[in-house]
Amino acid sequence: MSSAIRRICGAAAAGSKTDWLGGAALALVLAGGAPLAAQQRQTDDDLRALIPDAALKDPEGWAKAQAAKKPVAKEGASDAPASPVAAAAPSADLAALIPDSPMDAIAGLDLPWPEPGKEEATIPMPAALAAQEDGEMLAAAMERVPPPGAARLAARNPADAKAQGKEQERETTLASGRARLVWPADAAAMPEREAFERRFRDLSALQGLGAHDADAVAQLVVRGSSDRKLLEKLLKVYGYYDGEVTQSLIGPNPGADGTPESGAAGAAAPPTGVRFDMDPGARYHIGAITTGRLEDTGKDAARLRAALAIKTGDPLDMDAITAGTNDLAKALGEAGYPFAKVPPASLTIDHARDEGDVDVAVEPGGQYRYGAITSALPRVMSPNHLGDIARFKPGQVWNQKDVEDLRRAVLATGLVAGVNVTPRETAPPHDGQPGVVALDVAMSRAPVHTIAGEIGYDTGQGARVGASWENRNLFPPEGSLKLRGVVGTNEQLAGATFRRANFLGRDRQLTVDLYATNTTLVSYAARKVAFATSYERLTNLLFQKPWTWSMGLEVEASEEREGVPSGVTTGRILYITTALPLRAGIDSTDNLLDPTKGHRASLRISPEQSWARETQSRYARIQADASFYRSFDKVVLASRVRLGTMPGSDIDYVAPSRRFYAGGGASIRGYGYNLVGPRNALGEPRGGRSLYEFSIEARVNTHFFGGALQLVPFLDAGGVEAGTVPKFNDWRYGAGLGIRYRTGFGPIRIDAGTPLNPRAGDSRIGVYVALGQAF
């Protein structure tokens, strides 16, 4: 009906024969419906008298009936308007008021009249109004879309193009192109720009806007407003308290002809992002600095104040202030103040002098020394044992770093699930002397029993199934007993191991092992009963040590032979061997299981004595290992060297299981386990008295599985010789490719290698699976 009303108004404007009063009356009639019926009772009586009752009951029917009664005007008829009374009469010319009738042309109006039902398609709505209907009304006032042809104007004017290029140099596009930060032309206006943008990138709301939301203007506006507030906060973090951030929408990119690209059906393309014009303004500086009662620390005050690391006149940087406050709290804890309170710094901004005053309300709480250690679970870990683990002694000045170290060491035992170390005052400070605090160690029990199993297969060692049971605190404190067994095609084993952790000192372990084994390998076959004990300084994932050492005693009685039982080789020979193995190592790497830089080196010397073939022999097994690691961007280059010698006895008086061998996943990959070295007359490996191995590999990080996957090409080389001094004339080479999947407990390693100069009997490929890197 709205179309009909517009036609009525148009007809009146064009000088239709229908007079203005008749048009008005008929417009009210054609509006129809209950609202008009309700309003007509309030209409002026004179106007109501002009409207026939039939028109009120059926407006459209009445209008059509009147039109049918009146013939269409002939050409040349007078266009003079009729009187209002005549227009209201039933005989009035109503042909122009029929909804579907054409309208006369209107001078000065060149827009096409809308077709019924197709108004929006006939007359395109202006872009600004369309944007408002799509929810862009909030952003329309601040939108800075370049006008059409701006790119062409810049191209025509070299000076403008140069200025535009200069502006581009100070812009940074972030959030996948959704955010554009435009900085002042002077790049030195904000030296913290890189750190600022990195933090904005991590916190930006526009960063989370998905590709499918690219046309969601409302999302751009809302997220852009959130990012503008974020930018204003970040400016204050770096001391720009007068900074301003202006937000505007980014228009579409210019097309080939220099005009903005258009959307569907020729409509203007929607904004693609948000532009932030940055005006940091002057940077504020630190004014007065107050530190509460820090002066109560006396001679320690100057050193503690230096830990705050900020001074009057420094640029106002909340990161530096927060870091300084944390360093001050740490310094107080390490200087003997267990009850010190260091609240977050408060800041008072003075805009008149462009400064901010910093107040850190320190409460030192007094200096203390260590007293006694108490244990909440003395049967699990006694106070004396906690004292052995601790790196401090009673009477020393409190140091929070050592207390935290004790807490981690107790957790590392595996006997407790949680630890909390709380200082308790037993004597207050007096006469300038520190007080005394006891350490209450609260612990929650952890399960002490462990049942483990393993199953696997190796081409060199066959199928293998193993199981073990362990009580980690059967002999408190930290005395464990482990029973283990292995059933396999090439190995059977039963054994018992006793360990006492943190024995006679921190990170020192006593181990006693008794076992019996039957092993059948390609290189040798041995039935053995052995006793071994060692005392060593351990390294582990929580406390990786730069220096480690071990000393021990080994006694073995074994029946062994070279090679597998073939029916041709000689029978087994009884060997009784005693050894005193000594080892020392150094480690400067950054990770125990997956190093990326640093080096490792170790030396093992084991004087041994053997009884075999009614002959007593003495010899020594000496082995040196070194590995080096260096990181190059996404590649870690790792190399390894191993040298060994066995001076003293002839090789026939050394048990085959104690000779040098090479080949396998931790040696020369591509060759089978222990298959590199001298062979006997039947072609079976018999081991040697000298060893040399060299390896190099590149651990290449990839983007697969979130960066957890590495590709590792490698090259190994080495050999074993019968003499004590190698002549390096029997090199074997192996090469291949491995993958590493890095987990929280270390990388899982899968290597596939092939021998480059194989001998008869060597496989063409070897596959090795293990936990941790090859070296």
Side-chain angles (χ1 to χ4, degrees), residues 60 122 134 146 164 175 274 302 374 376 388 455 505 547 566 649 654 668 676:
E60 293 189 7
T122 306
D134 288 341
Q164 186 178 12
V274 182
T374 65
D388 291 338
I455 184 171
W547 289 94
S566 61
S649 175
V654 178
I668 306 175
V676 173

Side-chain angles (χ1 to χ4, degrees), residues 574-578 609-617 653:
L574 176 63
Y575 295 88
I576 298 177
T577 305
T578 60
Q609 182 172 273
S610 173
W611 286 268
R613 296 185 175 95
E614 301 180 354
T615 301
Q616 179 177 330
S617 302
Y653 297 101

Side-chain angles (χ1 to χ4, degrees), residues 11 16 18 63 66-68 70-73 92-102:
S16 172
T18 305
Q66 297 303 316
K70 181 70 176 179
V72 179
D93 186 359
L94 299 178
L97 299 182
I98 298 176
D100 296 333
S101 62

Side-chain angles (χ1 to χ4, degrees), residues 155-167:
R156 293 173 186 170
N157 191 332
D160 292 344
K162 183 176 180 181
Q164 186 178 12
K166 184 177 180 181
E167 181 178 356

Side-chain angles (χ1 to χ4, degrees), residues 518-752:
N518 179 33
T519 305
T520 304
L521 302 174
V522 176
S523 53
Y524 65 84
R527 290 192 292 262
K528 183 185 301 185
V529 176
F531 167 84
T533 182
S534 64
Y535 184 59
E536 58 186 325
R537 184 173 189 256
L538 295 175
T539 185
N540 54 53
L541 294 176
L542 286 179
F543 301 100
Q544 186 174 344
K545 303 294 189 302
W547 289 94
T548 56
W549 51 261
S550 68
M551 60 182 69
L553 169 66
E554 297 177 3
V555 179
E556 292 183 358
S558 61
E559 293 182 342
E560 305 186 28
R561 73 168 79 203
E562 296 176 0
V564 297
S566 61
V568 179
T569 55
T570 59
R572 296 175 185 261
I573 299 174
L574 176 63
Y575 295 88
I576 298 177
T577 305
T578 60
L580 296 173
L582 304 172
R583 181 185 178 278
I586 184 174
D587 187 348
S588 68
T589 61
D590 58 343
N591 189 282
L592 194 63
L593 294 178
D594 189 13
T596 62
K597 61 182 180 180
H599 66 274
R600 291 173 179 164
S602 67
L603 176 65
R604 187 179 189 274
I605 302 176
S606 178
E608 300 184 5
Q609 182 172 273
S610 173
W611 286 268
R613 296 185 175 95
E614 301 180 354
T615 301
Q616 179 177 330
S617 302
R618 293 183 177 89
Y619 60 93
R621 298 180 79 252
I622 304 173
Q623 180 174 311
D625 291 86
S627 55
F628 307 88
Y629 311 90
R630 188 171 181 181
S631 181
F632 299 92
D633 193 16
K634 296 183 179 180
V635 179
V636 176
L637 188 64
S639 58
R640 174 185 68 93
V641 59
R642 173 177 294 168
L643 299 172
T645 184
M646 192 183 298
S649 175
D650 186 88
I651 193 171
D652 290 331
Y653 297 101
V654 178
S657 62
R658 304 187 74 85
R659 300 172 186 174
F660 285 124
Y661 298 90
S667 179
I668 306 175
R669 288 163 285 187
Y671 293 87
Y673 180 67
N674 287 357
L675 298 186
V676 173
R679 299 188 179 187
N680 58 24
L682 298 176
E684 299 167 335
R686 68 188 308 257
R689 292 195 299 164
S690 61
L691 166 71
Y692 46 94
E693 293 179 1
F694 301 90
S695 298
I696 186 170
E697 64 182 30
R699 302 166 185 172
V700 183
N701 297 321
T702 71
H703 297 293
F704 299 109
F705 298 99
L709 192 70
Q710 283 183 328
L711 296 179
V712 185
F714 60 84
L715 175 66
D716 299 334
V720 175
E721 298 182 14
T724 57
V725 179
K727 298 179 180 180
F728 302 100
N729 57 7
D730 192 20
W731 287 91
R732 300 290 125 187
Y733 301 94
L737 180 67
I739 61 173
R740 309 286 187 269
Y741 183 79
R742 290 181 290 187
T743 67
F745 52 85
I748 298 174
R749 172 170 63 99
I750 302 177
D751 287 337

